[in-house]
Amino acid sequence: MRLLEFVRRHLPVQRVVICALAGLLIFYHIYTLFDLYYGSGTDLYEGVSGNTRRYFEGAQSILRVMIVSSLILVVMNKRFALYGMWAAISALVATHYLAFFLDLPFRFLEGRHPLSYLKGFIIPTVITLSYFSMSSQGSSRKTNSAGEA
């Protein structure tokens, strides 16, 4: 029983959820970057040559690095990193919509419904809600302990 209380006190469920989901996104974006530049030749931008491909590849790579950086800071419990995470993920989704509406022949656009890009907001929403629920529980604990003293 003491072990369970110790785990609950020092490792809240929200923290585990944040770390697991952030770790998943970090792995996904690092794997995508690695595969794009050093990998097996999977080409997300197949079919487009010239400057358009280079601009999208560069812009999305920068956004993926920003996402990974902000997620690492979220895991380290830095509140401002949530804003960076949301800005970078929103910009990445916006580049997908830009490619879709400009009708660019990128492979990552094939057979996808326009609303499917909004799936990119599901995991960040869960991370943000877990973060805020964890901080609200912490502040309520502080007010409860202050009231008891």
Side-chain angles (χ1 to χ4, degrees):
M1 194 64 158
R2 289 181 183 165
L3 178 63
L4 188 59
E5 290 173 12
F6 177 79
V7 169
R8 263 193 224 149
R9 180 174 296 145
H10 296 291
L11 195 63
V13 174
Q14 293 94 337
R15 173 63 44 204
V16 173
V17 168
I18 290 169
C19 290
L21 292 177
L24 176 74
L25 285 178
I26 289 168
F27 173 77
Y28 170 74
H29 288 291
I30 288 176
Y31 176 78
T32 302
L33 286 169
F34 179 81
D35 197 37
L36 182 63
Y37 292 105
Y38 303 109
S40 62
T42 303
D43 193 0
L44 296 173
Y45 307 97
E46 189 175 282
V48 175
S49 60
N51 287 339
T52 306
R53 174 196 166 114
R54 208 172 39 213
Y55 290 143
F56 264 85
E57 192 174 298
Q60 287 192 341
S61 296
I62 290 169
L63 291 171
R64 290 181 193 281
V65 169
M66 288 173 58
I67 290 169
V68 168
S69 302
S70 63
L71 285 168
I72 289 170
L73 291 172
V74 166
V75 168
M76 294 170 57
N77 207 20
K78 306 295 182 193
R79 186 178 187 139
F80 67 88
L82 286 173
Y83 302 112
M85 174 191 73
W86 276 104
I89 289 173
S90 297
L92 186 64
V93 170
T95 62
H96 283 84
Y97 275 112
L98 183 67
F100 181 81
F101 287 119
L102 291 178
D103 204 26
L104 298 174
F106 291 142
R107 201 179 83 172
F108 67 84
L109 298 171
E110 292 176 5
R112 295 191 67 185
H113 189 274
L115 294 177
S116 68
Y117 304 115
L118 297 177
K119 290 189 302 186
F121 292 126
I122 295 172
I123 292 177
T125 301
V126 174
I127 289 173
T128 303
L129 292 175
S130 296
Y131 189 89
F132 285 130
S133 74
M134 186 176 66
S135 64
S136 70
Q137 284 179 356
S139 64
S140 69
R141 282 186 195 147
K142 287 178 186 175
T143 58
N144 287 342
S145 64
E148 292 173 1

